[in-house]
Amino acid sequence: MDEPAKNWHVGLCVLCGLPGAGKSTLARRLKNSINAYSVVVVTYDDLITDAAAQWETAGDSGATSCPSEGGSEMSLWKQLRQHLLQFIEHLIVALLSSSTLKAPGGLTGGQWDRFVQCLEGQGVISAARSDSHHFLISPKLSHIYVILDDNFYYQSMRYEVYQLARKYSLGFCQLYLHCAMECCLLRNRSRPHPIMDKTILLMDTKIEKPNPEKNTWEKNSLILDSSQGVAVDDTRITDLLNRALESPVTPLEDDHEEKDRDREICAASIVHQADQSVRRLISETMQAMKGSVSAQNIKQLAKELQHAKSRSLDHLRQSLTGKTIQSLRTDDIFDVQSFFKAEKDHILERYLHTDEVQYCQSQEYCLTNPATS
């Protein structure tokens, strides 16, 4: 039987930035140096990358934890992130109700086991009985900060954590580590299992820093330069953590307006991601077409591709109109890349045909007028 609920104070801290920025190092130091409350560190790489590798070993050759341009890789990556968010929510419920921690229905595989090991290793839980499906929360805990260590490069990723804080009236804050790209790359290369440089470079083009001036939900945010490391006793960090824990997010009684806002934020993020993706396609196309299309046509080609991008994004915006926040998170939305690629192929076919005709005409002229050639 569950014990009566204790007076828990729980905070969620999103620790974000590029790979190699120093997030995991700072998280470990915070855990070992803060005495005012217990700190639990949830490192996404340990719980998502390993899970993806396990799926791959089991036969899913497309599995990966790194963001890609689409397909099964991105679907698996998103799915594992959603599973981890569910695990964190179950931990929050167990803390707030002083009840046992239980796995979400149907999610007792390898990723859940790693999550449990992460919590057991930090003294947060212990097995309630031999079946290892129910876990007791440590009675020593009262005030607790859960630090989520991940890149969180899209605003929408961080907003999902904020929604969790709002749902249960928790403290919420964000620590963003800004680090010079060369420093990130050097640190990453020195790791036992580095990721590819191009993944970090791609992430740098996508990353959306906290913007408290634009988004009120990001008001408890701190951006630190970590190129030379971050002092764990920096009073700005402790002030941020204390302020967020003392002023938890207030749940909304009538969330109709907030749901509309959620949908707008999510839709804006989807459009932004699509825009970045199509921009890369245009850049790749222009590079590939150099030498195949005449100099006088290359500028016009660039204009037409930009117009095609605008049409693609307009179609996407129209397809998002009226959708709920839940449906926006699925893959069942307008496929911008497919639409743009079809437009691009049609444009290129016309330009290549035009230049080929012009080339043939010039060759024919040279053959019929050898004196002027």
Side-chain angles (χ1 to χ4, degrees):
M1 186 174 180
D2 295 338
E3 298 178 0
K6 295 171 65 175
N7 184 25
W8 294 99
H9 293 276
V10 181
L12 292 177
C13 176
V14 171
L15 184 55
C16 49
L18 291 174
K23 300 182 299 298
S24 297
T25 299
L26 178 59
R28 287 193 299 269
R29 290 176 178 173
L30 288 173
K31 178 173 178 59
N32 295 328
S33 64
I34 295 179
N35 299 317
Y37 28 77
S38 300
V39 173
V40 179
V41 178
V42 177
T43 303
Y44 273 48
D45 278 352
D46 294 343
L47 302 174
I48 293 180
T49 305
D50 289 347
Q54 184 183 49
W55 283 36
E56 186 176 54
T57 302
D60 186 350
S61 60
T64 178
S65 70
C66 296
S68 68
E69 292 302 318
S72 62
E73 295 180 349
M74 180 59 83
S75 297
L76 171 58
W77 183 69
K78 287 168 63 177
Q79 185 178 351
L80 293 173
R81 291 186 68 89
Q82 288 301 315
H83 289 174
L84 184 49
L85 203 60
Q86 291 179 53
F87 299 162
I88 293 167
E89 181 170 7
H90 275 62
L91 171 62
I92 290 168
V93 170
L95 287 170
L96 295 177
S97 62
S98 295
S99 60
T100 56
L101 173 64
K102 305 172 186 176
L107 295 178
T108 56
Q111 191 182 15
W112 168 255
D113 293 340
R114 287 179 176 80
F115 181 69
V116 167
Q117 291 167 9
C118 165
L119 299 182
E120 286 181 322
Q122 298 179 71
V124 180
I125 60 172
S126 58
R129 43 181 192 264
S130 59
D131 62 11
S132 296
H133 290 305
H134 296 73
F135 300 89
L136 296 174
I137 298 295
S138 171
K140 298 179 182 179
L141 303 176
S142 57
H143 300 339
I144 183 168
Y145 244 114
V146 181
I147 296 180
L148 306 183
D149 170 14
D150 184 47
N151 307 124
F152 287 107
Y153 55 92
Y154 285 139
Q155 179 194 107
S156 57
M157 295 174 176
R158 304 191 299 270
Y159 190 69
E160 288 181 332
V161 180
Y162 170 79
Q163 288 177 304
L164 201 57
R166 187 181 62 200
K167 181 177 180 180
Y168 295 100
S169 192
L170 311 178
F172 174 81
C173 64
Q174 299 181 128
L175 268 172
Y176 178 89
L177 299 189
H178 172 75
C179 185
M181 174 55 67
E182 189 57 36
C183 184
C184 288
L185 294 175
L186 287 173
R187 289 175 180 173
N188 172 66
R189 291 168 191 159
S190 67
R191 292 174 171 175
H193 304 289
I195 62 177
M196 293 184 292
D197 284 2
K198 68 177 184 180
T199 301
I200 300 178
L201 292 168
L202 174 62
M203 198 175 293
D204 186 48
T205 66
K206 294 183 172 186
I207 200 160
E208 300 169 0
K209 297 179 182 179
N211 189 348
E213 293 182 1
K214 179 181 178 182
N215 306 311
T216 55
W217 63 272
E218 293 190 293
K219 64 179 181 180
N220 285 331
S221 299
L222 180 61
I223 298 178
L224 297 172
D225 189 336
S226 61
S227 298
Q228 302 299 322
V230 176
V232 73
D233 58 352
D234 189 327
T235 56
R236 291 175 298 174
I237 297 177
T238 53
D239 288 348
L240 174 73
L241 296 173
N242 290 334
R243 185 169 65 249
L245 202 60
E246 292 167 1
S247 303
V249 183
T250 305
L252 296 176
E253 294 182 5
D254 180 9
D255 63 352
H256 178 74
E257 181 178 340
E258 190 65 17
K259 282 183 178 179
D260 287 342
R261 178 176 171 77
D262 292 350
R263 190 197 64 77
E264 289 174 4
I265 290 175
C266 191
S269 181
I270 290 171
V271 172
H272 173 74
Q273 294 172 42
D275 179 70
Q276 295 297 310
S277 176
V278 175
R279 284 176 185 269
R280 284 191 295 275
L281 287 175
I282 291 177
S283 177
E284 292 167 3
T285 301
M286 295 302 295
Q287 287 294 327
M289 295 307 294
K290 283 183 178 177
S292 299
V293 175
S294 66
Q296 64 182 10
N297 285 336
I298 198 75
K299 288 186 178 180
Q300 185 60 32
L301 171 60
K303 267 187 193 177
E304 291 204 34
L305 290 176
Q306 289 295 332
H307 288 321
K309 176 173 80 77
S310 298
R311 289 194 297 273
S312 301
L313 295 178
D314 285 343
H315 279 291
L316 174 61
R317 292 186 185 96
Q318 291 173 15
S319 74
L320 297 176
T321 303
K323 282 187 177 289
T324 64
I325 190 71
Q326 288 79 14
S327 62
L328 284 175
R329 291 192 182 121
T330 70
D331 295 327
D332 186 25
I333 58 175
F334 177 73
D335 190 339
V336 175
Q337 287 197 16
S338 295
F339 181 89
F340 176 78
K341 285 177 179 177
E343 292 263 297
K344 177 200 71 174
D345 291 344
H346 177 70
I347 293 169
L348 293 184
E349 183 180 358
R350 178 160 46 81
Y351 272 87
L352 289 172
H353 176 71
T354 299
D355 278 12
E356 184 178 352
V357 169
Q358 290 176 347
Y359 174 78
C360 291
Q361 288 175 342
S362 66
Q363 289 297 97
E364 182 181 354
Y365 178 83
C366 289
L367 290 173
T368 56
N369 300 272
T372 60
S373 62

